[in-house]
Amino acid sequence: MTDEREYLEDEGAETRPDGGTATATESAVRLGALTASLPALGGLGHVLTLADREYRTLSRSRWPVGLAALFAVVSLAVAAASGAGAGTGRAGAVVVSLAEFSVYLVPLAALAFGYAAVVEPAERGTLDMLFALPVRRSRVLLGTYLGRALGLVAALAVGFGFGGALLFRFVGVSGLGPYARFLLAAVGAGLAFLAIAVLVSTLAREKTHALGGVLLAWVWFVFAHDLLALSAVVFADPPEVVVTALVLLNPADCFRVLVLSGVQTTGGGVGAAIASSSLPPALAGAGLLAWIVLPLAGAVQAAGRVHGRQ
């Protein structure tokens, strides 16, 4: 116990609301007090407390602000280029153009947002501090995920909200339906890739390994999988059930289905191939949900092996 106290006292500093600094010991005491102050909520209270802590830490790093600015620039540029002077029929073109950019950008942003979620505090030793609290490891990981998810969703909503406002100026209320569908699909895809990033972060021993892992995941889901799937569709003409399975095995393709099913135009390439499938949007949404739940469950299981059991 003495060694653990000395370790925590040497573990750096954290900013106080008044601008001063708090040692890691004070942070641990504060986190323990918050956890103990929510007994009526039980496990949910623990998760929310840890999520709030993670979100506040991210807010100080300005990650959500940077991502919101990036999404705002992209959405405004696409809306201005595709929707200026357009009628209501052009709203679909704006959504399709945004989807083509977002299928690369949103997964990359989500993976970068979450790759250090577990491995970084493990390297600093603060993960041991969290696991020493009277909270289940699954709640620690879920709280970490939810805190980062809140920051990511806020960045997506604010950033793409600027593009939606500009589109509203061009086409009126009629364009908001497809755009809202796109935004919800982007949030779902972002949460799915964030869950994948948390899983990679849990499995990695070092931060550099986690970064390499999420980059490989991005290349696979955004490029390699679609290239193989498109080749199979073009040359092998597989049955519909195989096409459906190929779409569900990629959260980026589930995102495409959700977006393209609500517009008239679909573009070409992978988007056109996916749009020609009969996969219901509800099933694509269920696929995104599975891509959130399964990686998080895998992270909980992996934490016991990689970081030791409580």
Side-chain angles (χ1 to χ4, degrees):
M1 182 57 122
T2 302
D3 293 339
E4 179 181 347
R5 184 181 301 275
E6 292 175 352
Y7 170 77
L8 291 175
E9 289 174 348
D10 293 335
E11 181 54 35
E14 180 179 336
T15 303
R16 286 197 188 105
D18 62 5
T21 58
T23 65
T25 302
E26 291 172 328
S27 301
V29 170
R30 208 162 45 233
L31 181 57
L34 286 172
T35 303
S37 69
L38 297 172
L41 293 177
L44 178 60
H46 297 161
V47 170
L48 294 178
T49 299
L50 293 164
D52 178 70
R53 176 185 182 276
E54 186 74 15
Y55 177 74
R56 290 176 182 273
T57 301
L58 282 173
S59 297
R60 287 195 294 269
S61 72
R62 300 292 188 267
W63 256 100
V65 175
L67 287 182
L70 175 62
F71 295 139
V73 169
V74 171
S75 63
L76 286 172
V78 172
S82 302
T88 57
R90 294 294 295 171
V94 173
V95 170
V96 170
S97 298
L98 264 180
E100 289 303 313
F101 280 104
S102 298
V103 79
Y104 303 104
L105 181 61
V106 171
L108 182 61
L111 290 169
F113 201 62
Y115 83 94
V118 179
V119 70
E120 185 175 57
E123 287 184 340
R124 292 201 313 260
T126 52
L127 187 65
D128 293 333
M129 179 184 72
L130 290 175
F131 284 168
L133 294 173
V135 182
R136 294 180 181 177
R137 181 172 284 114
S138 60
R139 293 170 186 170
V140 172
L141 291 175
L142 184 57
T144 299
Y145 172 79
L146 288 179
R148 291 185 177 252
L150 180 59
L152 179 62
V153 171
L156 286 167
V158 172
F160 284 128
F162 281 98
L166 185 59
L167 182 63
F168 173 75
R169 179 186 175 188
F170 289 148
V171 302
V173 179
S174 61
L176 294 184
Y179 197 87
R181 189 186 190 99
F182 156 76
L183 180 56
L184 289 175
V187 168
L191 294 178
F193 279 98
L194 180 62
I196 295 171
V198 170
L199 173 59
V200 173
S201 185
T202 305
L203 292 171
R205 294 284 188 176
E206 299 178 9
K207 194 174 176 180
T208 53
H209 296 169
L211 179 59
V214 295
L215 289 176
L216 286 175
W218 183 71
V219 170
W220 168 254
F221 286 116
V222 174
F223 292 105
H225 178 276
D226 279 352
L227 180 61
L228 294 175
L230 186 60
S231 299
V233 170
V234 171
F235 296 108
D237 192 21
E240 191 65 32
V241 64
V242 175
V243 177
T244 298
L246 289 173
V247 172
L248 293 177
L249 286 174
N250 189 346
D253 288 342
C254 292
F255 162 74
R256 279 191 173 105
V257 169
L258 288 174
V259 175
L260 298 179
S261 61
V263 296
Q264 295 293 328
T265 180
T266 59
V270 178
I274 291 174
S276 65
S277 70
S278 60
L279 180 67
L283 186 56
L288 277 182
L289 180 60
W291 275 107
I292 296 172
V293 173
L294 294 179
L296 286 178
V300 171
Q301 294 297 320
R305 296 193 301 270
V306 177
H307 302 288
R309 297 188 180 278
Q310 284 182 292

